[in-house]
Amino acid sequence: MKISLYNSLSKKIESFNPLLGNQVRMYSCGPTVYNYAHIGNMRAFLFADLLQRVLRVVGNYSVRWVMNITNIDDKTIKSSKIGSDLWKPEMGEQTDNPLQNLSKFTLFYEDAFIEDITKLGINPKHIESLPRATEFIPQMQDLTRRIVENGYAYISDGSVYFNVAEWRKKDVYGKLFKIDFENFRPGVRMDADQYQREDISDFVLWKVAKPNEPFWKFELSGVKCDGRPGWHLECSAMERELLGLPFDIHTGGIDLKFPHHEDEIAQSKAGYGNDPTTFWCHNEFLFVEGEKMSKSKNNFYTLRDLLDKNIDALDIRFSMLSAHYGSVFNFTFNSISSARKARMRIQEFIYSLFDDNKTGKRKYDVEKLRNDIFVELANDLHSPKALAQLFAFINTVSTGELDLNSKTKLIVLFTELNDIFSVWEIKPETKEDISLPEEVVILAQKRLEARLSKDFKLADEFRQQISSKGYSVKDTKDSFELEKL
Ligand code: AMP
Ligand code: ZN
């Protein structure tokens, strides 16, 4: 099915077509591993996960999903320094080698991140690569050099800055985010990785080494520039190295539109002469009880905080799926308990499909239901509307009235849907039932109907046809069981 997505670049919903045949190349800005990820971060990763699953299952594409690990930036460096209260005994001893400390520190939070997303129903096997920024330093230096050589960056005191005023003569700066240049002062430099749009300035590509901080040797235009990459540069270099330019989709939270993604576009074009991607997709914010999360408001939660309150991670996943990624998601403890009820309601329905005592004669148009759900997902990942279709079905149909063929098809559908939603359990012992050939199930259904109308001759004929296909049929009260011969 064709997928459409809201593209932050055109600010419209567009029909999605990958650049290379059936393959989608997708890059997601990953975690900055300086602490446990909070549930706002998790929303961004769950959005990217939903997107790659819909592309695979609904769009029938093969997806190459890359998510970077920011293991060097202002925050990771500061937090891994001697004396930081974020250093834990499990990380080992701190040494006088800042790079070693940074590595031990960030690996600890990287492992925690993988553990957390796995609990949230993200399958790390779906991610082709989780590149660590520190493993792509030569590519970052190469990009810095290219931008300088092309005339869009300059060196100042060993650091390298992107020249925004010069770039604006060539291309738009402000493609994702309308920027007001009224207060822009050309040549003013910004060293911090994160800054506000009011502070628009020449942003840093490469930062000169500071005492007791990690650095790499780098000589540029005959000038000694030993130091480390700026955050924006990291993504530009890694995505090109791993996916090639331009790729298909870049994801991230809405807060990354400026400056991070705007700077990525400028860097890629100024250095490689290519746009990073054709689709920019951003998730909206997560609020807690109607407010922005902040430690001072005491409403700041990591996934672990919620698990400690005995909340099931899959209820968190399900509650986020119940809202569209493009609208603000208000996390409340009430919404979690409603999500749990709704998830369990569907879970019970799935279990009931395996109950032999609950089989009737009604043939349900499962193909239509599947299509209705997929249409909603294909329309800019409208998961709440897709779930509404599912609930409308569950609330009006009981398994007891469905014939076995419809039930088998529904099991197949739920297995497929779970490849997208990933919040249910499809009974493992049913695997064999699911793989029953449809024609055998239909013959068994016909035999059941004949038996119930007491036409035992016809029922016997169907039994012979079933066994000629390699299956035996065992009668139960008002249903049947099939077994491979
Ligand atoms: P970081 O680890 O800070 O680099 O952020 C990882 C991802 O989380 C980015 O895509 C951010 O845009 C996203 N993010 C951060 N805070 C929120 C929030 N409150 N709601 C939704 N997404 C967020
Ligand atoms: Zn990024």
Side-chain angles (χ1 to χ4, degrees):
M1 194 179 280
K2 266 257 144 296
I3 309 273
S4 359
L5 291 172
Y6 181 83
N7 189 346
S8 305
L9 209 53
S10 63
K11 295 162 189 69
K12 282 203 253 325
I13 294 186
E14 290 178 38
S15 174
F16 172 75
N17 290 301
L19 295 165
L20 299 178
N22 200 46
Q23 183 188 80
V24 179
R25 289 166 296 152
M26 170 169 147
Y27 183 93
S28 301
C29 283
T32 306
V33 281
Y34 74 108
N35 207 334
Y36 296 112
H38 60 66
I39 53 170
N41 300 138
M42 291 308 181
R43 185 176 197 205
F45 307 131
L46 286 172
F47 155 60
D49 183 49
L50 175 66
L51 176 53
Q52 67 88 13
R53 284 170 181 269
V54 168
L55 287 163
R56 261 191 310 107
V57 181
V58 180
N60 265 322
Y61 294 116
S62 74
V63 181
R64 294 185 53 205
W65 183 22
V66 172
M67 185 195 286
N68 75 297
I69 303 279
T70 303
N71 66 349
I72 181 156
D73 80 319
D74 295 348
K75 289 188 270 193
T76 43
I77 291 177
K78 182 165 174 248
S79 313
S80 62
K81 278 187 177 170
I82 293 179
S84 156
D85 53 9
L86 286 169
W87 190 277
K88 292 180 182 293
E90 301 95 289
M91 296 169 183
E93 287 292 312
Q94 275 174 302
T95 66
D96 55 8
N97 180 333
L99 186 56
Q100 243 173 38
N101 291 341
L102 180 79
S103 165
K104 282 186 197 167
F105 177 85
T106 53
L107 277 175
F108 176 88
Y109 285 114
E110 185 185 312
D111 286 348
F113 170 73
I114 306 286
E115 217 177 276
D116 286 356
I117 59 168
T118 306
K119 285 190 180 139
L120 280 168
I122 294 177
N123 182 350
K125 290 199 188 115
H126 287 160
I127 310 176
E128 176 182 292
S129 166
L130 284 155
R132 298 183 187 109
T134 49
E135 288 167 14
F136 293 82
I137 300 293
Q139 289 83 347
M140 294 167 194
Q141 294 180 333
D142 168 66
L143 176 55
T144 309
R145 178 173 285 116
R146 284 170 187 251
I147 303 175
V148 170
E149 282 173 3
N150 292 343
Y152 298 111
Y154 55 89
I155 305 169
S156 171
D157 298 330
S159 289
V160 185
Y161 297 88
F162 191 91
N163 188 336
V164 173
E166 196 57 33
W167 180 246
R168 288 186 70 209
K169 294 181 196 159
K170 162 104 178 158
D171 202 354
V172 175
Y173 182 73
K175 291 186 177 178
L176 293 169
F177 201 89
K178 197 167 167 21
I179 295 173
D180 180 2
F181 281 93
E182 207 170 302
N183 300 320
F184 173 57
R185 288 165 296 153
V188 171
R189 290 182 287 278
M190 171 57 71
D191 281 299
D193 283 332
Q194 282 173 338
Y195 55 95
Q196 306 298 316
R197 71 177 137 157
E198 295 76 45
D199 300 325
I200 162 172
S201 28
D202 289 354
F203 58 91
V204 72
L205 300 175
W206 185 263
K207 304 191 192 197
V208 71
K210 289 196 191 132
N212 302 319
E213 290 193 359
F215 71 91
W216 285 263
K217 292 213 163 302
F218 188 29
E219 196 180 299
L220 186 58
S221 314
V223 182
K224 187 169 177 278
C225 293
D226 294 355
R228 52 107 172 172
W231 174 43
H232 315 302
L233 188 87
E234 295 175 9
C235 284
S236 287
M238 286 186 279
E239 61 203 24
R240 179 206 189 231
E241 177 71 17
L242 295 167
L243 292 173
L245 299 187
F247 50 95
D248 299 297
I249 305 178
H250 195 314
T251 77
I254 197 161
D255 56 320
L256 298 191
K257 277 190 187 174
F258 183 84
H260 190 53
H261 292 164
E262 201 62 57
D263 291 352
E264 266 187 47
I265 296 175
Q267 290 164 163
S268 263
K269 283 205 91 174
Y272 302 128
N274 254 321
D275 273 311
T277 183
T278 48
F279 273 75
W280 284 94
C281 298
H282 295 98
N283 62 279
E284 252 291 354
F285 270 119
L286 171 141
F287 281 9
V288 173
E289 307 282 354
E291 296 191 19
K292 242 186 141 167
M293 265 197 297
S294 83
K295 294 220 161 101
S296 60
K297 284 188 193 137
N298 217 14
N299 68 352
F300 185 96
Y301 297 111
T302 64
L303 175 67
R304 285 155 195 250
D305 295 332
L306 297 181
L307 300 185
D308 285 347
K309 292 181 187 291
N310 281 328
I311 288 177
D312 188 323
L314 292 185
D315 291 330
I316 300 172
R317 179 180 176 98
F318 190 75
S319 73
M320 293 203 197
L321 288 168
S322 310
H324 187 251
Y325 76 89
S327 40
V328 169
F329 175 71
N330 190 21
F331 176 92
T332 66
F333 287 93
N334 273 342
S335 68
I336 286 293
S337 53
S338 328
R340 176 156 193 89
K341 277 190 208 131
R343 185 169 78 88
M344 287 304 138
R345 169 96 181 81
I346 300 175
Q347 181 66 77
E348 275 159 27
F349 187 89
I350 297 173
Y351 284 153
S352 74
L353 290 170
F354 295 95
D355 186 345
D356 283 346
N357 295 321
K358 286 188 182 165
T359 306
K361 291 188 175 172
R362 181 170 171 193
K363 295 187 193 320
Y364 196 83
D365 193 347
V366 179
E367 285 76 17
K368 181 177 180 308
L369 175 65
R370 178 182 186 272
N371 193 63
D372 290 347
I373 294 172
F374 276 25
V375 162
E376 301 295 4
L377 291 168
N379 176 21
D380 196 27
L381 305 193
H382 224 300
S383 50
K385 287 191 182 165
L387 288 170
Q389 294 278 359
L390 197 53
F391 276 110
F393 160 69
I394 285 178
N395 290 334
T396 49
V397 174
S398 78
T399 25
E401 58 185 292
L402 296 171
D403 73 0
L404 199 89
N405 195 21
S406 306
K407 283 171 64 177
T408 306
K409 285 183 184 168
L410 281 166
I411 292 170
V412 175
L413 174 61
F414 275 105
T415 309
E416 220 180 356
L417 290 180
N418 213 29
D419 199 5
I420 300 172
F421 295 116
S422 188
V423 286
W424 300 299
E425 187 181 83
I426 311 287
K427 267 195 179 169
E429 65 262 34
T430 59
K431 284 222 170 83
E432 229 186 325
D433 300 11
I434 292 166
S435 65
L436 281 177
E438 206 167 290
E439 50 175 357
V440 176
V441 177
I442 291 169
L443 284 171
Q445 183 67 40
K446 284 186 180 160
R447 179 182 144 77
L448 174 69
E449 281 162 20
R451 195 161 59 84
L452 293 178
S453 57
K454 302 208 184 319
D455 187 346
F456 297 110
K457 192 167 167 285
L458 187 62
D460 238 37
E461 277 175 29
F462 282 126
R463 178 197 287 282
Q464 275 165 22
Q465 287 188 36
I466 292 166
S467 62
S468 73
K469 305 231 175 259
Y471 287 83
S472 77
V473 59
K474 199 175 114 201
D475 299 331
T476 59
K477 198 167 130 270
D478 48 10
S479 183
F480 55 81
E481 280 170 18
L482 286 162
E483 238 174 66
K484 229 177 157 76
L485 282 171

